[in-house]
Amino acid sequence: MPQGVRRYDPDRRQRIIDAAIRVVGAKGIAGLSHRSAAAEADVPLGSTTYHFKTLDDLLVAALRQANEGFAQAVAESPALADPDADLAGALARLLGGFLAVDRGRVELEYELYLAALRRPALRPVAAEWCEAASEALVPRADPVTARALVAVMDGISLQVLLTDAEYDESYAREILARVLR
């Protein structure tokens, strides 16, 4: 291929996002740069800056992608459709499943989520996640209670991650049930 001719690569942007997530997983936020993402994605450095003008733009895309899983799982939970189902139990099981299946992935998601403390560009995406998770619970709880449930699940998750404690599903169920009372 002659030099300067671009090859059509419709998946390049997504590969860069996936690479950024892998870099953050391996090296933390501090290890992410346009250069490290380009190397991980095996694309030219110019591709990362073409798709993501700033590092914050890349972090926003990575956070948005990382956030998709939990809110979607909450929204798809059968307990939300069944008004007689044990919502606290279902949420406690769901949370335990996330922490058990891929704890490293959950740690990565929280690292990206908490990066919003120092990077204001990430705050709207963190807020979107909170809002999406809360909205998913509105069929079973009023909006204030739904937000409280999300806050409690966040708190329990962070305690488990930061203390290397085992997840206690019965404790989580009890605390979530108290919020629902």
Side-chain angles (χ1 to χ4, degrees):
M1 180 179 300
Q3 192 171 14
V5 175
R6 282 191 186 197
R7 196 168 29 114
Y8 179 64
D9 187 357
D11 299 326
R12 185 170 288 192
R13 183 179 192 281
Q14 184 59 52
R15 285 200 330 270
I16 294 167
I17 295 168
D18 293 340
I21 289 171
R22 287 191 305 274
V23 169
V24 172
K27 300 176 184 176
I29 297 274
L32 182 64
S33 65
H34 278 101
R35 188 172 305 283
S36 65
E40 180 67 27
D42 194 26
V43 299
L45 178 59
S47 290
T48 62
T49 57
Y50 172 79
H51 289 287
F52 305 99
K53 300 292 181 223
T54 68
L55 193 56
D56 280 350
D57 292 340
L58 180 54
L59 282 167
V60 163
L63 177 58
R64 190 164 275 132
Q65 181 169 310
N67 282 346
E68 290 172 354
F70 189 75
Q72 183 177 354
V74 170
E76 293 172 356
S77 171
L80 291 178
D82 181 358
D84 298 321
D86 173 19
L87 181 59
L91 292 174
R93 275 188 305 283
L94 188 65
L95 190 57
F98 266 89
L99 289 165
V101 169
D102 190 354
R103 189 176 179 127
R105 177 70 182 197
V106 177
E107 288 172 357
L108 164 74
E109 290 169 8
Y110 270 102
E111 183 168 0
L112 287 165
Y113 179 62
L114 293 172
L117 291 170
R118 300 268 184 225
R119 293 178 173 271
L122 298 179
R123 290 182 187 159
V125 182
E128 285 171 18
W129 178 86
C130 291
E131 188 63 30
S134 296
E135 283 179 16
L137 293 170
V138 168
R140 292 289 311 276
D142 65 87
V144 172
T145 303
R147 286 180 58 208
L149 289 167
V150 171
V152 167
M153 289 187 291
D154 259 347
I156 291 170
S157 296
L158 282 170
Q159 286 177 353
V160 168
L161 294 172
L162 295 173
T163 63
D164 287 326
E166 288 295 316
Y167 176 70
D168 184 345
E169 186 176 310
S170 62
Y171 167 78
R173 189 209 167 283
E174 175 60 27
I175 298 304
L176 291 166
R178 288 180 186 195
V179 172
L180 285 165
R181 282 191 205 125

